[in-house]
Amino acid sequence: MKYEQIERAARYLNERFTKTPKIGLILGSGLGVLADEIEEPVKIPYNEIPDFPVSTVEGHAGQLVYGGLSGQEVVAMQGRFHFYEGYDFDKVTFPVRVMKELGVEILIVTNAAGGVNESFKAGDLMIITDHINNMGGNPLIGPNDSRMGPRFPDMSEAYSRDLRQLAKEIAGKISINVQEGVYVGNTGPTYETPAEVRLARVLGGDAVGMSTVPEVIVARHGGMKVLGISCISNMAAGILDQPLSHDEVMETTELVRANFLSYVKEIVKS
Ligand code: 6GU
């Protein structure tokens, strides 16, 4: 995406929202309800924003929600764009570029993911410590516009150490059990085969998903700090003797929703 397109989308949004959001939230499958808790919300459907992609999957409302959450100014993506829907990485990550342009400094990314670590169980929350890009591409491929970030971004702290530490402390404080681990980003839309899940484990992965990695790469390119939280909605294939279904993913997310909501709100407050 050209810088001018990012500026144009940001200008459109700035005309509708006077305060500067310092925190951006990307809400994954079944987790979009968090945006319903935003106070004095200004909701802007994606299809009204210049050059914004429009989301297709059910369970994703497809709007930006600005407003107050736990005393902070935030902007939340209620529904994200996935590579498997047919959007290229440029489209998938455009909203992150726009958030940066709006003044967002901290990005909180959430997702539903399959558990690869055999000590996990469905319903666990996981602080993402790091990721493995297994999506076969990188959103930064192409000419680099140095107004957006460096040609060769450092990824040694893709997920901010400080924010991870804070997230851990808060989990303890409000007695939420939280795992930590490495997120492996696959393209989907198929879930992994049992052999692919073993591969992810050998590679050092603790969870597998179909999102997050492109957005985090672009956020780091732009110098934002990132915190990632996965909801382990199910165990990945071959661990339990049962097939996976999207319905199960949504059901589990619904069960942990209350926990997830209070956790993220507490993090935003701090
Ligand atoms: Cl098992 N795999 C992937 N790639 N994404 C998921 C998942 C599994 N469960 C929820 N999201």
Side-chain angles (χ1 to χ4, degrees):
M1 286 294 195
K2 292 202 191 68
Y3 189 59
E4 289 68 28
Q5 292 173 288
I6 295 158
E7 280 183 314
R8 188 153 63 107
R11 216 178 306 125
Y12 178 89
L13 294 168
N14 271 327
E15 281 166 16
R16 281 148 191 84
F17 192 68
T18 42
K19 292 175 191 152
T20 298
K22 282 281 178 296
I23 301 175
L25 291 154
I26 301 182
L27 305 173
S29 304
L31 304 172
V33 281
L34 184 58
D36 298 333
E37 310 241 343
I38 291 175
E39 289 155 28
E40 295 180 42
V42 178
K43 299 179 179 179
I44 303 167
Y46 293 152
N47 61 15
E48 292 179 8
I49 309 169
D51 289 317
F52 240 65
V54 176
S55 54
T56 59
V57 182
E58 9 163 5
H60 296 248
Q63 56 184 2
L64 278 188
V65 185
Y66 282 98
L69 188 69
S70 311
Q72 311 276 352
E73 293 301 322
V74 305
V75 55
M77 282 184 78
Q78 199 169 27
R80 65 142 61 82
F81 303 100
H82 298 91
F83 186 59
Y84 66 74
E85 292 176 88
Y87 304 108
D88 59 23
F89 289 125
D90 234 30
K91 283 276 178 200
V92 167
T93 59
F94 184 67
V96 179
R97 292 283 185 214
V98 173
M99 282 185 177
K100 164 74 189 173
E101 192 65 23
L102 291 173
V104 168
E105 291 168 3
I106 293 175
L107 184 68
I108 302 179
V109 289
T110 66
N111 57 55
V116 167
N117 185 318
E118 287 168 301
S119 75
F120 290 2
K121 58 183 191 315
D124 280 351
L125 298 179
M126 183 187 90
I127 299 169
I128 304 177
T129 55
D130 205 348
H131 75 217
I132 293 172
N133 178 6
N134 195 37
M135 296 181 89
N138 188 304
L140 304 183
I141 289 173
N144 187 63
D145 185 336
S146 59
R147 288 173 292 185
M148 294 192 231
R151 173 73 287 188
F152 301 108
D154 174 40
M155 290 293 279
S156 55
E157 215 181 302
Y159 299 81
S160 156
R161 186 184 298 273
D162 291 346
L163 293 177
R164 280 186 273 135
Q165 183 59 36
L166 177 76
K168 246 177 106 164
E169 283 169 17
I170 288 165
K173 208 166 72 185
I174 64 171
S175 300
I176 280 183
N177 201 27
V178 71
Q179 308 279 8
E180 291 180 273
V182 172
Y183 177 94
V184 179
N186 289 331
T187 64
T190 47
Y191 294 117
E192 295 71 22
T193 64
E196 288 162 349
V197 173
R198 289 194 297 275
L199 174 67
R201 190 178 301 125
V202 166
L203 292 177
D206 297 290
V208 275
M210 307 177 190
S211 66
T212 303
V213 164
E215 293 105 311
V216 170
I217 289 172
V218 163
R220 294 302 296 142
H221 184 234
M224 298 156 105
K225 279 184 149 197
V226 176
L227 177 68
I229 310 282
S230 289
C231 166
I232 305 299
S233 52
N234 54 277
M235 293 307 284
I239 298 175
L240 307 175
D241 192 19
Q242 61 185 47
L244 307 184
S245 75
H246 182 61
D247 290 345
E248 183 202 354
V249 172
M250 299 308 281
E251 274 166 34
T252 310
T253 354
E254 191 146 344
L255 286 176
V256 299
R257 198 172 271 175
N259 243 359
F260 169 83
L261 290 185
S262 47
Y263 186 40
V264 176
K265 280 197 289 190
E266 237 2 82
I267 293 172
V268 169
K269 190 191 287 181
S270 302

